[in-house]
């Protein structure tokens, strides 16, 4: 039978560190699930199925990139398919659609922020995970809340106001 002593303390330190890292990973994954839920809400209100698909893929990518893709000891690289689904052009939706997705300007900004943060999360394992991952998770939470708060007033039509193209705003 082994006696308690310095050997136990040596074992407790890595266990505490592993537990702390697991808690950080769980917090990041939870932030990703909440953000993905919001992106799915955006998808559900799109009248164009092509835009819904793009947003559903972005939601799945947010969830994966903030969860199982954050692997301590891993290479910190985001899978190419996830990077594509998280690209900033998610706010323009599917190129197969005739118009932009029905999103307010604040939602677009928040969506880009959520996708950018999700894309950065796997890389946190290459730096100071304990410092970077909580900051990224908090930023994702803030972007999600800002996006929820920015939902445009749809009025009676259920449709958001179109954003003018840059050429339309010059003469104003």
């Amino acid at each position: 039978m082994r006696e308690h002593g310095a050997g136990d303390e040596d074992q407790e330190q890595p266990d505490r560190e592993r537990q702390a890292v697991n808690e950080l990973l769980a917090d990041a994954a939870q932030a990703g699930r909440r953000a993905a839920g919001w992106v799915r809400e955006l998808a559900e209100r799109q009248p164009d199925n092509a835009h819904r698909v793009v947003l559903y893929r972005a939601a799945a990518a947010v969830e994966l990139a903030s969860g199982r893709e954050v692997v301590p000891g891993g290479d910190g690289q985001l899978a190419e398919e996830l990077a594509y689904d998280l690209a900033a052009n998610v706010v323009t939706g599917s190129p197969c659609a005739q118009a932009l997705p029905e999103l307010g300007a604040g939602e677009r900004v928040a969506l880009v922020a959520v996708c950018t943060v999700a894309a950065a999360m796997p890389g946190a394992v290459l730096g100071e995970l304990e410092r970077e991952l909580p900051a990224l998770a908090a930023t994702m939470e803030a972007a999600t809340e800002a996006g929820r708060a920015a939902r445009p007033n749809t009025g009676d039509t259920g449709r958001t106001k179109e954003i003018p193209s840059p050429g339309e705003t010059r003469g104003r």
Side-chain angles (χ1 to χ4, degrees):
M1 191 163 149
R2 197 170 138 213
E3 292 187 31
H4 295 286
D8 289 342
E9 290 175 14
D10 290 343
Q11 180 61 36
E12 288 176 12
Q13 182 65 24
D15 288 345
R16 281 194 300 269
E17 289 174 8
R18 195 172 14 258
Q19 182 179 0
V21 167
N22 286 340
E23 288 174 12
L24 293 174
L25 294 171
D27 290 346
Q30 182 63 27
R33 283 189 295 276
R34 282 193 285 271
W38 170 66
V39 176
R40 285 184 187 100
E41 290 172 17
L42 296 176
E44 289 167 7
R45 67 173 219 242
Q46 298 305 311
D48 190 312
N49 187 56
H51 290 322
R52 277 195 301 278
V53 170
V54 168
L55 289 168
Y56 279 131
R57 288 180 59 98
V62 165
E63 199 162 355
L64 289 172
S66 61
R68 77 173 200 209
E69 292 292 311
V70 184
V71 181
D75 65 3
Q77 298 296 310
L78 188 63
E80 188 175 334
E81 183 177 332
L82 291 178
Y84 176 81
D85 290 339
L86 293 172
N89 65 358
V90 71
V91 300
T92 60
S94 173
C96 298
Q98 296 299 315
L100 293 174
E102 292 188 7
L103 301 169
E107 289 174 317
R108 283 188 168 90
V109 171
L111 182 58
V112 169
V114 163
C115 290
T116 301
V117 170
M121 282 183 156
V125 300
L126 300 176
E128 295 181 38
L129 182 72
E130 295 83 5
R131 179 178 62 84
E132 294 174 9
L133 199 55
L136 291 170
T139 302
M140 182 176 281
E141 292 278 8
T144 302
E145 289 308 310
R148 286 187 192 282
R151 181 166 181 165
N153 182 359
T154 57
D156 295 334
T157 65
R159 300 181 71 89
T160 58
K161 181 181 177 188
E162 262 189 57
I163 295 177
S165 68
E168 294 175 16
T169 59
R170 283 196 185 119
R172 294 182 187 177

